[in-house]
């Protein structure tokens, strides 16, 4: 390692030699950097899971344009809107089709007797074009009353048993006093607001939720004709429906605004974002303390070099060398630990937490930059110091 660093730096790797001179302190410093990396990576992983679950919520359906009530900030909140809006939208010559989407939550009893919160998507069976890839082929089977498609990745559910669900071996259960039959399954997974999902026809949805009526869907899905500019059609619909208390957006914009709201307005997103910032600050403090202590312990050596006429850039190079080494070596155990924690959290919660290459690279670069900044701060005391005082 010493030879490699000497080759890379073109001089004796003084920083590396100072670190390895006291291996106990170096180990403690690496543990501190690794701990800070674990904090940042875990918080970013959970924040990434929140982002992923937002996209998962839109997976059972598709459309070009998404119409919601004006107070709907996310997919699952907001008031219902009038079905009249759908017919007004269909009057636009650039609109090829539209369909209502109904959403609701129900409790579902797992195999062990515990209760799971399921989000229910209600779509007309004839609106197959608006079904997502996960359920499009099975949507026509929902024409049978009280038939559902069930999410076999529901948190805490018997995944193997749900995978065996079929028309020949349906899973029967009771929801809101009605006996439902799951005849097919799909794989979606839980989120921060629900443990799993059910897909039903609009008619079955209205039977599951007697207080809901067909004339007030949760959202309206709209498709434009081939070749039409979606952004222009959105503007046209906003003008046409200006008197209605609704929000017209492309589906891409709706998902982006949903994600932005959940990460900046909802307590969960704000807390995780704040936790990431705190983890970065903790990491900076740890590395600064380590490097500052190291500088203080080697003041006599630095004073000797300074008296010999070495410039401040020489000392800064040594401290930066130490900080970069600590950042690089401390990142590896932090990455390994965080990856293991991802698997533990995923197995316990069902949230899609995975270590991505982009996230690992981003944290590695951030670690090096943070360590370098801490090293620069720690080296400031050498800049104006008098060699006589340093002795």
């Amino acid at each position: 390692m010493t030879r490699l660093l000497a080759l890379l730096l073109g001089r004796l790797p003084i920083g590396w030699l100072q670190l390895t001179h006291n291996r106990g302190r170096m180990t403690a410093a690496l543990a501190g950097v690794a701990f800070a990396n674990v904090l940042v990576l875990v918080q970013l992983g959970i924040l990434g899971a929140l982002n992923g679950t937002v996209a998962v919520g839109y997976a059972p359906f598709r459309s070009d344009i998404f119409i919601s009530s004006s107070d709907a900030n996310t997919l699952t909140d907001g008031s219902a809107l009038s079905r009249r809006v759908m017919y007004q939208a269909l009057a636009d010559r650039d609109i090829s089709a539209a369909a209502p989407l109904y959403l609701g939550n129900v409790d579902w009893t797992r195999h062990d007797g515990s209760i799971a919160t399921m989000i229910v998507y209600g779509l007309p069976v004839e609106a197959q074009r608006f079904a997502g890839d996960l359920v499009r082929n099975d949507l026509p089977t929902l024409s049978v009353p009280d038939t559902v498609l069930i999410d076999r990745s529901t948190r805490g559910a018997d995944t193997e048993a749900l995978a065996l669900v079929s028309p020949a071996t349906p899973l029967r259960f009771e929801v809101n006093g009605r006996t439902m039959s799951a005849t097919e399954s799909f794989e979606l997974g839980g989120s921060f607001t629900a443990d799993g999902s059910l897909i039903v026809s609009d008619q079955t949805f209205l039977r599951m939720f007697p207080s809901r009526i067909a004339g007030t869907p949760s959202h309206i899905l709209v498709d434009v004709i081939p070749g039409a500019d979606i952004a222009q059609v959105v503007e046209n619909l906003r003008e046409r429906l200006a008197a209605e208390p609704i929000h017209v957006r492309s589906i891409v914009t709706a998902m982006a605004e949903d994600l932005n709201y959940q990460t900046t307005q909802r307590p969960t997103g704000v807390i995780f974002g704040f936790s990431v910032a705190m983890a970065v600050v903790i990491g900076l403090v740890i590395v600064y303390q380590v490097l500052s202590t190291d500088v203080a312990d080697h003041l006599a050596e630095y004073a000797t070099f300074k008296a010999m006429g070495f410039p401040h850039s020489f000392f800064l190079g040594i401290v930066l060398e130490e900080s970069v080494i600590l950042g690089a070596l401390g990142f590896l155990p932090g990455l390994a630990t965080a990856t293991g924690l991802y698997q533990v959290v995923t197995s316990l919660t069902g949230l899609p937490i995975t270590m991505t290459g982009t996230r690992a690279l981003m944290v590695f670069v951030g670690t090096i930059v943070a360590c370098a900044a801490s090293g620069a701060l720690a080296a400031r005391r050498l800049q104006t110091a008098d060699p006589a005082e340093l002795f």
Side-chain angles (χ1 to χ4, degrees):
M1 186 68 177
T2 303
R3 291 182 179 178
L4 176 62
L5 290 174
L7 185 64
L8 292 174
L9 298 173
R11 60 168 172 76
L12 188 67
I14 300 174
W16 166 253
L17 294 174
Q18 287 189 165
L19 286 173
T20 54
H21 178 69
N22 189 334
R23 294 185 181 276
R25 178 182 296 170
M26 181 179 178
T27 302
L30 292 178
V33 175
F35 176 69
N37 274 282
V38 171
L39 287 178
V40 173
L41 287 168
V42 169
Q43 297 301 329
L44 286 177
I46 297 176
L47 193 61
L50 174 62
N51 300 345
T53 57
V54 170
V56 164
Y58 289 80
F61 61 88
R62 58 145 305 279
S63 68
D64 294 326
I65 296 173
F66 197 64
I67 302 179
S68 311
S69 65
S70 57
D71 60 349
N73 296 308
T74 69
L75 176 66
T76 55
D77 66 9
S79 307
L81 67 166
S82 172
R83 190 166 179 144
R84 178 185 68 251
V85 172
M86 183 180 74
Y87 298 115
Q88 290 176 304
L90 284 170
D92 192 298
R93 63 182 181 180
D94 289 326
I95 301 299
S96 61
L101 172 66
Y102 301 87
L103 296 175
N105 287 333
V106 296
D107 289 337
W108 175 68
T109 305
R110 300 184 181 99
H111 63 287
D112 59 358
S114 60
I115 300 298
T117 299
M118 309 290 280
I119 181 172
V120 183
Y121 296 81
L123 268 175
V125 292
E126 64 273 15
Q128 196 170 4
R129 64 184 297 169
F130 291 106
D133 294 338
L134 295 171
V135 298
R136 183 173 300 123
N137 292 335
D138 295 325
L139 192 65
T141 66
L142 299 179
S143 58
V144 178
D146 297 337
T147 300
V148 309
L149 307 178
I150 190 167
D151 181 4
R152 60 178 173 271
S153 296
T154 297
R155 187 180 296 127
D158 187 343
T159 304
E160 294 182 0
L162 292 181
L164 297 176
V165 167
S166 69
T169 57
L171 172 67
R172 291 189 171 84
F173 55 93
E174 191 168 298
V175 172
N176 293 341
R178 299 190 66 85
T179 300
M180 314 300 294
S181 296
T183 55
E184 298 287 352
S185 66
F186 60 95
E187 188 171 5
L188 190 60
S191 66
F192 281 84
T193 57
D195 298 308
S197 306
L198 297 173
I199 311 295
V200 300
S201 70
D202 55 344
Q203 299 304 310
T204 296
F205 182 92
L206 297 174
R207 282 190 287 271
M208 293 174 71
F209 299 90
S211 61
R212 298 288 298 272
I213 59 176
T216 57
S218 304
H219 305 278
I220 293 174
L221 309 176
V222 177
D223 266 357
V224 302
I225 61 175
D229 184 351
I230 294 176
Q232 184 59 53
V233 177
V234 166
E235 289 301 321
N236 294 341
L237 286 178
R238 286 174 179 170
E239 293 180 8
R240 179 185 292 274
L241 304 172
E244 300 288 346
I246 60 170
H247 194 186
V248 183
R249 300 161 289 177
S250 69
I251 189 70
V252 175
T253 301
M255 292 174 63
E257 291 182 355
D258 188 336
L259 175 61
N260 181 64
Y261 180 82
Q262 300 218 37
T263 54
T264 61
Q265 302 297 320
R266 284 275 174 85
T268 305
V270 174
I271 288 172
F272 287 130
F274 181 74
S275 298
V276 171
M278 287 302 299
V280 171
V281 172
I282 291 172
L284 283 170
V285 171
I286 290 174
V287 176
Y288 174 77
Q289 282 298 114
V290 170
L291 295 175
S292 181
T293 303
D294 185 81
V295 169
D297 288 349
H298 294 88
L299 278 179
E301 291 85 348
Y302 289 132
T304 301
F305 281 121
K306 197 158 188 176
M308 293 170 64
F310 281 85
H312 177 70
S313 58
F314 173 75
F315 306 111
L316 182 61
I318 294 174
V319 178
L320 288 180
E321 177 190 333
E322 292 184 45
S323 60
V324 171
I325 290 173
L326 287 176
L329 297 184
F331 172 77
L332 297 176
L335 177 66
T337 304
T339 302
L341 289 175
Y342 279 13
Q343 296 176 357
V344 173
V345 175
T346 298
S347 64
L348 293 176
T349 65
L351 293 174
I353 305 178
T354 57
M355 181 63 72
T356 64
T358 301
R359 181 181 302 146
L361 179 61
M362 181 179 66
V363 174
F364 176 72
V365 172
T367 300
I368 297 299
V369 172
C371 289
S374 297
L377 286 174
R380 286 181 59 188
R381 63 182 301 182
L382 295 172
Q383 188 170 10
T384 57
D386 187 329
E389 295 177 353
L390 293 177
F391 277 112

